[in-house]
Amino acid sequence: MASDIDIIESFLDALWSERGLSNNTLAAYGRDLKALSIWLVSKQNNLLSANHSLLLEYIANRINKGSKTTSVARVISTLRRFYRYQLRERNIEEDPTALIELPKLGKPLPSTLTETEIELLLNAPLIEDPLGLRDRAMLELIYATGLRVSELVSLRYNQLSLQQGVVRVIGKGNKERLVPMGDEAVIWITKYLAESRGDLMTGKGVCDQLFVTRRGSGMTRQAFWYLIKRYAQQSGIKQKLSPHTLRHAFATHLLNHGADLRVVQLLLGHSDLSTTQIYTHVAKARLQSIHQKHHPRG
């Protein structure tokens, strides 16, 4: 009879030839199966003789040792694919994973910033410099509107109405929405247009994008993401950020201050309310944290 190592290698070879999976994915499958094999040896068993009860015991053992839900789900997926392959190859008579269900994975809460951290971030650019003034205007606008980074950097002049204080956004699926900018964002964009953009564009030709670089070209998502990380570091913000951090902060802070969920949905451009509902969990988590910190019986 073939050893577990040989059986695993044969399975991985089949995956590579049939599915064209990456080396990293194949290595992850191999690690999961080898870990199970080692555990089965301690139970005087092997991969092909393991039954449903034994695999459940192994999964429970992983959970008891502190494995994350995502890790357990990945292991179960590996075992399902492995045993279905063995069944297809007639190396086993029944699939021991057939009745094993994947654990439910909750959506991770988006990372966000407190209102104090937002203030620190907004105040980080040096507004005496044309690029710093541009950055301040961009940060103010994205926090005031909750735009996606891609929506922010692709903005054109004709999408803004400073007089009415609104921006016309072309979102996913070419869906259009009108979003209020708020007084602060209007002030900083007006200042950027009057004092900074002309300097940045001098001798550079024409660019339709609202926010431009020193070379006179439009800003990119990557460039703006780099700026957010740099200003966060300057502000002493330690938590892990994402390109959507300010969008998340926009939604969370609106809900914290009593905004209606459906209004936030419209402002964010979500087609499904369930996508927006995750921010209610962020707001709730924040309120619970405040209660625990400040209430005498928290």
Side-chain angles (χ1 to χ4, degrees), residues 126-147:
L126 296 173
I127 58 175
E128 295 78 15
D129 176 73
L131 291 176
L133 183 53
R134 175 206 65 190
D135 297 344
R136 177 65 184 263
M138 293 184 78
L139 290 170
E140 289 281 357
L141 181 59
I142 196 170
Y143 176 58
T145 58
L147 298 185

Side-chain angles (χ1 to χ4, degrees), residues 107-174:
K107 287 186 178 180
L109 295 181
S111 60
T112 187
L113 298 174
T114 65
E115 292 180 39
T116 300
E117 288 171 329
I118 286 291
E119 285 297 326
L120 291 172
L121 190 64
L122 294 178
N123 288 316
L126 296 173
I127 58 175
E128 295 78 15
D129 176 73
L131 291 176
L133 183 53
R134 175 206 65 190
D135 297 344
R136 177 65 184 263
M138 293 184 78
L139 290 170
E140 289 281 357
L141 181 59
I142 196 170
Y143 176 58
T145 58
L147 298 185
R148 299 177 178 92
V149 174
S150 57
E151 294 170 344
L152 176 75
V153 299
S154 64
L155 280 178
R156 278 13 183 209
Y157 274 122
N158 62 6
Q159 292 177 246
L160 288 178
S161 174
L162 295 176
Q163 186 175 3
Q164 294 180 339
V166 296
V167 57
R168 181 171 54 86
V169 185
I170 311 299
K172 289 184 176 181
N174 286 324

Side-chain angles (χ1 to χ4, degrees), residues 99-113:
L99 299 178
I100 296 178
E101 295 183 359
L102 286 171
K104 291 183 178 180
L105 301 177
K107 287 186 178 180
L109 295 181
S111 60
T112 187
L113 298 174

Side-chain angles (χ1 to χ4, degrees), residues 37 46 73 79 97 103 106 123 198 200 223 272 276 282 286:
S37 176
N46 58 55
L79 299 187
T97 67
N123 288 316
L200 294 173
D272 191 339
T276 316
V282 178
R286 173 65 180 155

